[in-house]
Amino acid sequence: MHPFTFTRARTVDEALAAGARGSRYLAGGTTMVDLMRQTVERPGSVVDINRLPLRGITRTPAGLRIGALARMSETAANPVVRRHLPAITQALELSASAQLRNSASIGGNLMQRTRCPYFRDVTTACNKREPGSGCAALEGYNRTHAILGVSSHCVATHPSDLAVALTALDAVVHLRGRDSERSLGIGEFFLRPGTSPHREHALRPGELITAVDVPLAPHSATSGYLKVRDRESYEFAIASAAVGLHIDGGVILSARVAVGGVATVPWRLPAVERRLVGARPSQRLWEEAAAAASEGAAPLRDNGFKTELLERTVARQLATVGGAK
Ligand code: SF4
């Protein structure tokens, strides 16, 4: 591990002052400390933000505000989340392990980095870790990599389950800088790799995630998350789907669909949603709509199976949430 200085912030302003000087924020540490041990991340200074008052989960006029330092486990167990945002509870409970969920924060979950094995192996070429060095995954073993949102510079999947549920449910991320405060829709927060895969978020230098807002809508209350993976626990998604449907009078009035494990960022599927709204639920509809999930897919040598798996995952979760007839 490289040497670094360590401080603790007692207030948001103290943290932001440290962030402005280039310190990295440390919350649960479940990703960053691992990456520091592997020398993938080599910050010169780290500021512990766990004492900041950013842990509450509160109602807002339009929905729910989840503090950036709320732990994954306490967010999953929150009664409002369980009742009105079940896709979020399910995504959290299918993530990592119980011990990690007790430590990892909501803000940190959005900041977690890819599980691409080449990214974590400092002896290999990786544009995300070392800009301009190349991408070992393009010609290497790429079974777990992305088929959507890829570029010739990076094909790594985004690892978060929670971010997929938040993307489906139109979450908004609140950010604070030393002299600024702003909010981004979650679709603007994550950046596709393009020519600069080392830039993963729209955060400005020193900015801190303070909270995530999730609107409470009829389709949020009837939502769910399906995770498909190589083993049943403590594993990342090969494909996943978050679905929210509002069905009234036998007609789908609103639909939200996002997928993970297959794309470089949490991936919303407006083409699938368009096919659903106004239609009547049926197994045939689920399958027809899900066929649009893989539009634009660009499989690599080892992950061609993900195209069909993605469509089946979406169809199955539509049937689970909307009912099969
Ligand atoms: Fe690095 Fe992305 Fe290539 Fe993986 S896919 S080696 S993270 S550039």
Side-chain angles (χ1 to χ4, degrees):
M1 190 181 273
H2 281 243
F4 61 94
T5 61
F6 178 83
T7 54
R8 278 204 179 93
R10 285 164 302 178
T11 65
V12 171
D13 284 339
E14 271 183 24
L16 292 173
R21 293 192 297 271
S23 288
R24 293 287 305 276
Y25 299 122
L26 179 78
T30 53
T31 290
M32 200 166 89
V33 173
D34 279 355
L35 291 173
M36 288 170 70
R37 286 197 183 112
Q38 293 167 317
T39 69
V40 173
E41 301 241 18
R42 286 166 284 180
S45 59
V46 170
V47 56
D48 179 342
I49 59 171
N50 284 299
R51 293 181 186 177
L52 306 188
L54 301 175
R55 199 156 169 168
I57 301 176
T58 52
R59 290 293 289 261
T60 64
L64 199 69
R65 175 159 298 175
I66 306 170
L69 291 175
R71 268 35 192 179
M72 290 171 69
S73 53
E74 67 198 22
T75 306
N78 180 278
V80 179
V81 177
R82 292 192 87 81
R83 181 160 176 210
H84 296 284
L85 302 165
I88 289 181
T89 288
Q90 291 165 23
L92 287 167
E93 289 183 341
L94 290 167
S95 300
S97 65
Q99 292 92 335
L100 287 168
R101 293 194 294 271
N102 286 338
S103 179
S105 68
I106 295 301
N109 185 290
L110 301 185
M111 296 299 293
Q112 67 180 296
R113 309 204 66 191
T114 182
R115 308 305 296 193
C116 171
Y118 302 105
F119 171 72
R120 284 162 192 263
D121 177 353
V122 294
T123 66
T124 61
C126 173
N127 287 321
K128 193 181 277 297
R129 174 173 30 78
E130 203 68 52
S133 64
C135 171
L138 289 174
E139 299 300 325
Y141 184 57
N142 46 39
R143 175 180 175 272
T144 60
H145 287 73
I147 59 172
L148 292 165
V150 299
S151 80
S152 59
H153 298 264
C154 181
V155 292
T157 52
H158 193 275
S160 170
D161 297 298
L162 171 66
V164 176
L166 292 174
T167 297
L169 300 182
D170 303 299
V172 171
V173 183
H174 296 287
L175 306 171
R176 268 193 65 185
R178 214 155 172 214
D179 305 306
S180 64
E181 200 160 345
R182 63 190 181 119
S183 304
L184 292 177
I186 192 137
E188 306 165 86
F189 178 76
F190 293 107
L191 303 179
R192 296 189 199 184
T195 57
S196 53
H198 60 289
R199 286 203 67 226
E200 297 170 334
H201 313 96
L203 284 167
R204 296 173 184 148
E207 267 187 331
L208 177 69
I209 301 173
T210 55
V212 177
D213 277 4
V214 191
L216 298 184
H219 54 248
S220 313
T222 317
S223 67
Y225 184 75
L226 172 64
K227 181 173 183 177
V228 178
R229 46 192 165 170
D230 284 334
R231 60 182 181 203
E232 258 311 297
S233 73
Y234 197 39
E235 185 55 282
F236 291 85
I238 294 286
S240 70
V243 167
L245 296 173
H246 178 207
I247 303 171
D248 197 16
V251 175
I252 300 169
L253 301 183
S254 63
R256 297 289 186 276
V257 184
V259 291
V262 290
T264 52
V265 293
W267 197 259
R268 185 83 174 254
L269 290 170
V272 174
E273 294 171 1
R274 279 195 298 274
R275 284 166 171 78
L276 295 168
V277 175
R280 292 184 172 275
S282 70
Q283 186 58 36
R284 189 168 170 192
L285 175 68
W286 307 142
E287 287 169 15
E288 284 176 0
S294 57
E295 278 177 10
L300 302 159
R301 188 193 62 213
D302 304 319
N303 69 0
F305 72 97
K306 282 195 174 184
T307 305
E308 185 179 348
L309 180 63
L310 165 62
E311 294 175 11
R312 285 175 175 240
T313 302
V314 171
R316 186 168 135 198
Q317 190 57 7
L318 286 169
T320 299
V321 173
K325 290 189 181 137

